[in-house]
C-alpha cells in the first residue's frame, strides 16, 4: 500500500464498517459473502491498520452490503 493514500484507506475501512453495521451484518457474515476471511475484514475496518483492497473486493463488498461503490470513495479532507 502506498502510504500517500493512508488516510483514504482508513476512511474506506471506516465506511465499510459503518455500512456493514447499518445492515446488521457481522464481519464474519460479510467475509463469507465475499469469500474472504473475517480477519481480512477486521484488518480493512481497523482504523489503526492500513490495509489496501482491490477494486474487485470493493465491488464485492458494495454488492454484499447493497451500497453503491462510489459511496465508499467519498473522502473527507
Amino acid at each position: 500500500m502506498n502510504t500517500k493514500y493512508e488516510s483514504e484507506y482508513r476512511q474506506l475501512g471506516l465506511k465499510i464498517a459503518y455500512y456493514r453495521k447499518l445492515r446488521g451484518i457481522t464481519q464474519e457474515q460479510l467475509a463469507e459473502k465475499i469469500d474472504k476471511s473475517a480477519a481480512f475484514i477486521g484488518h480493512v475496518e481497523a482504523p489503526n491498520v492500513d490495509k489496501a483492497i482491490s477494486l474487485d473486493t470493493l465491488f464485492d463488498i458494495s454488492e454484499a452490503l447493497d451500497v453503491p461503490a462510489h459511496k465508499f470513495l467519498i473522502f473527507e479532507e
Side-chain angles (χ1 to χ4, degrees):
M1 182 193 80
N2 188 333
T3 56
K4 177 179 173 183
Y5 303 114
E6 196 171 281
S7 173
E8 287 83 356
Y9 279 112
R10 191 166 292 129
Q11 289 181 60
L12 176 63
L14 291 173
K15 287 181 185 202
I16 290 168
Y18 170 78
Y19 285 112
R20 177 184 58 74
K21 291 173 185 175
L22 192 64
R23 300 290 187 261
I25 297 172
T26 66
Q27 288 182 340
E28 291 80 12
Q29 290 169 322
L30 178 57
E32 187 175 304
K33 287 177 181 266
I34 65 166
D35 199 30
K36 300 283 185 192
S37 70
F40 174 85
I41 300 298
H43 284 111
V44 168
E45 292 183 357
N48 60 335
V49 177
D50 299 321
K51 177 75 173 165
I53 65 171
S54 70
L55 280 175
D56 286 344
T57 300
L58 178 61
F59 294 148
D60 287 343
I61 291 169
S62 170
E63 184 178 309
L65 297 178
D66 194 29
V67 175
H70 76 273
K71 288 200 171 193
F72 294 103
L73 300 173
I74 301 169
F75 301 119
E76 305 280 329
E77 289 287 325

